[in-house]
Amino acid sequence: MTKLKSYRPFITQNFLWEFPSHFKLKEASEFLKMSIANTTGFISHTAKSTMRDTSIYWFIRDKRTKKIVAVIAIENVDNASGKLSIQLSDDLNDADKTEIAQRLIMFVKDQIKLDTLKFATLDSVIQENFTKNGYNISNKELKRS
């Protein structure tokens, strides 16, 4: 079984990927646009789910601005599938999104070997990177060919 809790931090050229519990509550609350109480509940849920190895969550900090610019979740990881959720800051440009997508693809494809990712919405740059890396898209699902 994959030990999701061991996949942190990730460091790329411009970003640091870390579990939500490693961020200041006020900073997380502001990014999520949630009350402190709701943010506390969210962070508690992410920690429990990650420790159970059923889901993994990261806040992504821009090393240049020191701000949280994204939250990524891969939930319900089971039998080479999971549910992908990505919330990106409006401040990210296409090059930033590509850098994030490439690290995410490496994780899901090569490290935890997920063949299917369901999603509700997906940024076009992220989607394009997945399709360029062997995933087909249909009916709110990325499936590795």
Side-chain angles (χ1 to χ4, degrees):
M1 178 170 193
T2 302
K3 298 289 183 199
L4 296 173
K5 59 187 165 225
S6 64
Y7 287 103
R8 59 132 295 296
F10 290 160
I11 301 169
T12 63
Q13 181 178 346
N14 295 302
F15 302 103
L16 172 68
W17 301 45
E18 187 58 270
F19 292 161
S21 59
H22 289 263
F23 288 82
K24 292 181 180 172
L25 194 56
K26 184 175 189 261
E27 180 183 16
S29 174
E30 288 172 0
F31 178 77
L32 294 171
K33 296 178 177 70
M34 296 169 73
S35 70
I36 295 291
N38 287 345
T39 302
T40 301
F42 171 78
I43 291 173
S44 175
H45 167 75
T46 67
K48 289 175 188 172
S49 296
T50 301
M51 287 301 150
R52 289 184 192 120
D53 289 316
T54 58
S55 301
I56 189 164
Y57 303 81
W58 299 280
F59 279 152
I60 299 177
R61 180 188 306 276
D62 188 318
K63 293 192 293 188
R64 301 160 291 192
T65 65
K66 309 295 186 223
K67 293 183 178 179
I68 297 172
V69 294
V71 60
I72 296 180
I74 304 173
E75 300 172 301
N76 306 320
V77 175
D78 187 34
N79 297 327
S81 70
K83 179 185 173 202
L84 177 63
S85 301
I86 302 174
Q87 179 183 341
L88 301 172
S89 167
D90 293 336
D91 297 334
L92 293 172
N93 61 38
D94 287 357
D96 291 336
K97 293 175 186 179
T98 296
E99 182 178 331
I100 290 168
Q102 289 173 347
R103 183 60 185 100
L104 178 61
I105 291 164
M106 180 189 305
F107 176 72
V108 299
K109 184 177 180 184
D110 300 330
Q111 292 181 277
I112 64 170
K113 301 180 184 345
L114 297 182
D115 294 326
T116 304
L117 290 165
K118 295 177 190 238
F119 61 90
T121 61
L122 200 57
D123 177 86
S124 62
V125 174
I126 304 289
Q127 180 179 316
E128 179 182 332
N129 275 272
F130 268 93
T131 56
K132 285 180 179 177
N133 282 280
Y135 284 83
N136 298 313
I137 187 167
S138 68
N139 297 331
K140 303 287 186 183
E141 188 174 86
L142 292 164
K143 193 162 184 86
R144 189 160 54 167
S145 50

